[in-house]
């Protein structure tokens, strides 16, 4: 298979198990119906939502007019010396632009965080050269609204008119669509959900302004469009969906994703949201576990509860491999995950459990006393404060506490590490995933908070209820006020962590929060404690 060819390879056993499902999907005309945007594919309960969420199937054609608009704005900005693009967006509004620009090697500063230090780093860039893309479907995303307010104030302080440096991407009718303080509003197709929006304005505008060739992306998707719409047994989307369905039916409820030389940078992070938020509901679903390579713990040694998936050529014991250029992979995976929803018997277009954590965070922001009432740790170990939920004693050393906590992972369960930190300056936190997976022998995910709340957060509450959650929060040396709001970014970040933890604990899931009073020292101490856990 050539580098520009798009296809799916399955190992012989999975090929055999998937074959009956492929035959059924072909006999039912699922691919053709999906391409025709048939909202009945997922049953009567899902029909209303599906009827307004299927326009992504034709974006390789319908997004073409955006190309000229993006290039015209980019040319105007460059003529004014504005060549630094900062994107304020969460979930589907940031993950696709990030993988597009990283793959093409063009610079894009992504703000999908409430960490004060990470936002301050973005502010410290050359504002004279900066345009801020504010991207939100609803127009009310609290993180994105906070970023807009912070940057608008910073522009004004530097004598720069914010109305000339803010570009909006949103759905028609949202509050952002009527924003006066912006240079241009790009209205996205409202009939596309956030995690399926890679080839809408949400993916193309920030990436195109940063210098990515977005026309080529659409061309790549167009090349595979006929194949994924064909009701044939070699349809790559049907093959991938059937492989997911067959593996899940055999107990493999997790997909371990590793890049094997695809030429795409960060695809797993984008696919993570698509898979988890689309399938993780009603007590079922597929949990994506993104790892650094085929030699990472949990990939080649994956047990029966997980399926190793190669993004690129098959290697390292992968049972599934997908190949093709980025635009084609977007459409392939979107189609496959939508069809997998049919096989799992769920609606792939809603996210019924996402709002719970947002509501809990808002309640804490509205009640500062409740937020401060959480300030008594269960134990203290150096620069680490331990906050344990019911079921964890918080006794002994930090290693003892972590050993006891990770032992609560049930058979075929998973451990989720959630770091509410600066993903640039505190990047070493991500190493905890592989260390914990190696020491505990269980599938382990890692997410930066609150970014993951717009991604795997749905699965955590709605998917298989066998997760155990390790939160890591950290003290901020300097906080940032949010203009015209009664909270700072640091307060918002803590409220999001505590709110999500509260929702998980209320659903009977074990939660352990480690708060780093000194981030560098605390992370080093946590890593040492993890490395002392014996498998």
């Amino acid at each position: 298979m050539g580098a520009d060819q798009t296809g799916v390879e399955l190992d012989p056993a999975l090929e055999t198990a998937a074959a009956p499902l492929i035959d059924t999907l072909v006999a039912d005309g699922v691919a053709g119906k999906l391409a025709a945007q048939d909202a009945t594919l997922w049953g009567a309960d899902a029909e209303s939502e599906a009827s307004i969420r299927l326009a992504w199937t034709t974006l390789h054609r319908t997004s073409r007019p955006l190309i000229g608009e993006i290039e015209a704005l980019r040319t105007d900005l460059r003529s004014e010396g504005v060549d630094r693009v900062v994107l304020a967006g969460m979930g589907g509004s940031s993950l696709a632009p990030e993988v597009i620009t990283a793959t093409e090697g063009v610079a894009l500063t992504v703000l999908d965080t409430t960490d004060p230090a990470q936002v301050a780093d973005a502010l410290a860039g050359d504002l004279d050269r900066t345009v801020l893309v504010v991207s939100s479907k609803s127009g009310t995303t609290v993180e994105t609204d906070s970023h807009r307010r912070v940057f608008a104030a910073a522009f004004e302080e530097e004598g720069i008119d914010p109305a000339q440096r803010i570009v909006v991407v949103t759905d028609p009718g949202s509050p952002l669509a009527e924003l006066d303080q912006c240079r241009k509003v790009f209205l996205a197709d409202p009939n596309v959900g956030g995690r399926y929006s890679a080839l809408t304005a949400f993916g193309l505008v920030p990436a195109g302004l940063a210098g990515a060739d977005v026309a080529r992306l659409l061309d790549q998707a167009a090349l595979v469009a006929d194949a994924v719409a064909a009701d044939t047994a070699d349809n790559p989307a049907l093959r991938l969906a059937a492989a997911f369905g067959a593996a899940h039916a055999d107990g493999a409820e997790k997909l371990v994703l590793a890049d094997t030389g695809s030429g795409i940078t960060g695809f797993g992070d984008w696919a993570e949201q698509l898979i988890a938020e689309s399938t993780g509901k009603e007590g079922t679903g597929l949990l994506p576990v993104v790892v650094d390579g085929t030699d990472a713990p949990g990939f080649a040694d994956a047990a029966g509860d997980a399926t190793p998936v190669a993004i690129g050529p098959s290697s390292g014991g992968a049972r599934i491999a997908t190949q093709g250029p980025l635009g084609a992979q977007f459409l392939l995976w979107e189609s496959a995950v939508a069809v997998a929803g049919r096989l799992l018997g769920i609606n792939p277009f809603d996210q019924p459990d996402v709002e719970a954590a947002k509501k809990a965070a808002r309640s804490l922001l509205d009640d500062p006393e409740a937020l401060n009432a959480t300030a008594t740790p269960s134990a203290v170990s150096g620069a680490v404060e331990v906050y344990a939920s019911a079921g964890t004693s918080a006794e002994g050393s930090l290693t003892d506490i972590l050993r006891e906590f990770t032992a609560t992972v049930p058979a075929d369960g998973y451990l989720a590490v959630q770091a509410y930190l600066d993903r640039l300056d505190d990047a070493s936190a991500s190493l905890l995933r592989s260390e914990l997976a190696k020491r505990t022998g269980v599938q382990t995910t890692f997410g930066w908070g609150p970014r993951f709340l717009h991604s795997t957060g749905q699965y955590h509450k709605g998917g298989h209820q066998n997760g155990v959650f390790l939160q890591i929060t950290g003290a901020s040396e300097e906080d940032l006020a949010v203009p015209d709001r009664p909270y700072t970014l640091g307060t918002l970040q803590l409220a999001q962590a505590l709110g999500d933890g509260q929702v998980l604990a209320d659903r009977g899931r074990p939660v352990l929060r480690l708060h780093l009073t000194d981030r560098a020292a605390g992370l080093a101490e946590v890593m040492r404690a993890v490395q002392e856990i014996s498998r």
Side-chain angles (χ1 to χ4, degrees), residues 41-42 46 49-50 53-54 56 195-196 274-275 277-281 334 337-342 345-351:
L41 283 170
W42 301 273
E49 180 78 18
R53 289 290 179 260
L54 290 171
W56 54 269
R195 55 191 174 274
Y196 290 82
L274 175 71
I275 298 163
E277 205 167 61
S278 296
T279 69
K281 57 202 72 171
E334 287 166 350
V337 170
V339 174
R342 174 183 169 95
I346 50 91
N347 173 6
F349 305 113
D350 67 351
Q351 46 282 331

Side-chain angles (χ1 to χ4, degrees), residues 245-529:
H248 185 273
D250 195 37
E253 62 195 43
K254 306 171 186 72
L255 300 173
V256 188
L257 310 177
D259 189 89
T260 56
S262 67
I264 300 171
T265 302
F267 186 81
D269 291 335
W270 173 81
E272 181 179 57
Q273 182 197 23
L274 175 71
I275 298 163
E277 205 167 61
S278 296
T279 69
K281 57 202 72 171
E282 298 183 29
T284 190
L286 295 161
L287 176 68
V289 181
V290 181
V291 301
D292 293 333
T294 57
D295 59 347
F299 192 86
D301 59 347
D305 64 329
T307 302
V309 181
I311 310 301
S314 182
S315 67
R319 301 196 68 200
I320 301 173
T322 72
Q323 293 194 67
L326 180 55
Q329 291 275 36
F330 279 147
L331 184 55
L332 167 63
W333 280 75
E334 287 166 350
S335 301
V337 170
V339 174
R342 174 183 169 95
L343 296 175
L344 294 177
I346 50 91
N347 173 6
F349 305 113
D350 67 351
Q351 46 282 331
D353 301 291
V354 167
E355 185 62 28
K358 295 180 183 179
K359 183 178 179 180
R362 285 194 297 266
S363 296
L364 288 168
L365 285 175
D366 292 340
D367 187 358
E369 290 186 7
L371 190 58
N372 294 330
T374 63
T376 303
S378 310
V380 177
S381 175
V384 181
E385 295 178 344
V386 179
Y387 296 84
S389 63
T392 301
S393 67
E395 295 178 352
S397 68
L398 186 55
T399 297
D400 293 333
I401 293 169
L402 285 167
R403 183 183 295 115
E404 179 190 7
F405 179 71
T406 57
T408 65
V409 178
D412 295 336
Y414 67 96
L415 172 63
V417 183
Q418 305 170 337
Y420 289 83
L421 300 170
D422 181 335
R423 69 180 175 113
L424 302 178
D425 289 347
D426 302 322
S428 63
S430 65
L431 300 176
L432 290 170
R433 193 218 73 82
S434 59
E435 286 295 326
L436 282 163
K438 181 166 60 178
R439 307 288 170 177
T440 64
V442 302
Q443 288 294 343
T444 304
T445 67
F446 181 89
W448 294 103
R451 163 185 168 122
F452 77 84
L453 292 175
H454 300 258
S455 179
T456 52
Q458 166 61 41
Y459 186 100
H460 294 160
K461 287 87 157 179
H464 292 279
Q465 293 302 289
N466 54 11
V468 172
F469 302 89
L470 176 63
Q471 292 187 331
I472 303 175
T473 57
S476 298
E477 292 185 6
E478 294 185 18
D479 207 345
L480 275 178
V482 180
D484 300 319
R485 286 292 181 266
Y487 49 79
T488 65
L489 284 180
T491 302
L492 174 57
Q493 184 183 44
L494 181 59
Q496 290 175 311
L498 297 181
D500 190 48
Q502 175 185 313
V503 172
L504 291 168
D506 288 346
R507 299 191 180 197
R509 303 317 311 155
V511 180
L512 177 69
R513 181 166 71 93
L514 304 180
H515 183 73
L516 314 178
T517 54
D518 178 299
R519 293 194 180 191
L523 278 174
E525 188 169 353
V526 172
M527 180 62 77
R528 283 195 298 270

Side-chain angles (χ1 to χ4, degrees), residues 14-331:
L14 191 52
E15 181 92 51
T16 299
L21 293 178
I22 295 172
D23 290 344
T24 298
L25 292 170
V26 171
D28 291 345
V30 168
K33 290 176 182 178
L34 179 59
Q37 301 179 12
D38 185 340
T40 67
L41 283 170
W42 301 273
D45 290 344
E47 188 171 346
S48 176
E49 180 78 18
S51 69
I52 57 170
R53 289 290 179 260
L54 290 171
W56 54 269
T57 61
T58 56
L59 288 172
H60 52 285
R61 296 195 302 269
T62 58
S63 284
R64 296 279 172 182
L66 281 170
I67 298 170
E69 290 185 65
I70 294 168
E71 186 54 37
L73 178 57
R74 181 172 183 268
T75 299
D76 287 348
L77 289 168
R78 293 294 174 107
S79 71
E80 299 165 14
V82 179
D83 60 0
R84 175 179 180 252
V85 183
V86 177
L87 170 62
M90 302 299 296
S93 298
S94 64
L95 293 167
E98 189 167 56
V99 68
I100 293 167
T101 53
T103 298
E104 295 223 0
V106 298
L108 176 69
T109 298
V110 176
L111 283 182
D112 54 2
T113 180
T114 45
D115 187 82
Q118 191 172 336
V119 176
D121 283 346
L123 283 171
D126 190 346
L127 290 181
D128 285 340
R129 299 173 35 239
T130 299
V131 60
L132 177 72
V133 180
V134 179
S135 188
S136 167
K137 280 186 67 65
S138 68
T140 60
T141 307
V142 64
E143 299 95 335
T144 305
D145 177 70
S146 298
H147 300 149
R148 178 184 65 80
R149 293 172 183 276
V150 168
F151 266 79
F155 282 137
E156 289 178 343
E157 194 172 309
E158 292 292 316
I160 300 169
D161 181 4
Q164 293 302 306
R165 297 297 185 86
I166 294 177
V167 172
V168 167
V169 183
T170 193
D171 275 2
S174 88
L176 279 178
E178 306 302 323
L179 185 68
D180 293 329
Q181 198 182 51
C182 72
R183 179 161 183 160
K184 182 175 177 63
V185 176
F186 288 88
L187 295 178
D189 191 328
N191 292 328
V192 179
R195 55 191 174 274
Y196 290 82
S197 65
L199 299 179
T200 70
F202 288 105
L204 302 184
V205 169
L209 291 180
D213 188 343
V214 294
R216 181 169 57 197
L217 274 177
L218 297 178
D219 292 342
Q220 291 167 348
L223 288 175
V224 78
D226 288 345
V228 301
D231 286 307
T232 60
D234 59 356
N235 178 326
L238 296 187
R239 285 172 54 76
L240 187 55
F244 291 162
H248 185 273
D250 195 37
E253 62 195 43
K254 306 171 186 72
L255 300 173
V256 188
L257 310 177
D259 189 89
T260 56
S262 67
I264 300 171
T265 302
F267 186 81
D269 291 335
W270 173 81
E272 181 179 57
Q273 182 197 23
L274 175 71
I275 298 163
E277 205 167 61
S278 296
T279 69
K281 57 202 72 171
E282 298 183 29
T284 190
L286 295 161
L287 176 68
V289 181
V290 181
V291 301
D292 293 333
T294 57
D295 59 347
F299 192 86
D301 59 347
D305 64 329
T307 302
V309 181
I311 310 301
S314 182
S315 67
R319 301 196 68 200
I320 301 173
T322 72
Q323 293 194 67
L326 180 55
Q329 291 275 36
F330 279 147
L331 184 55

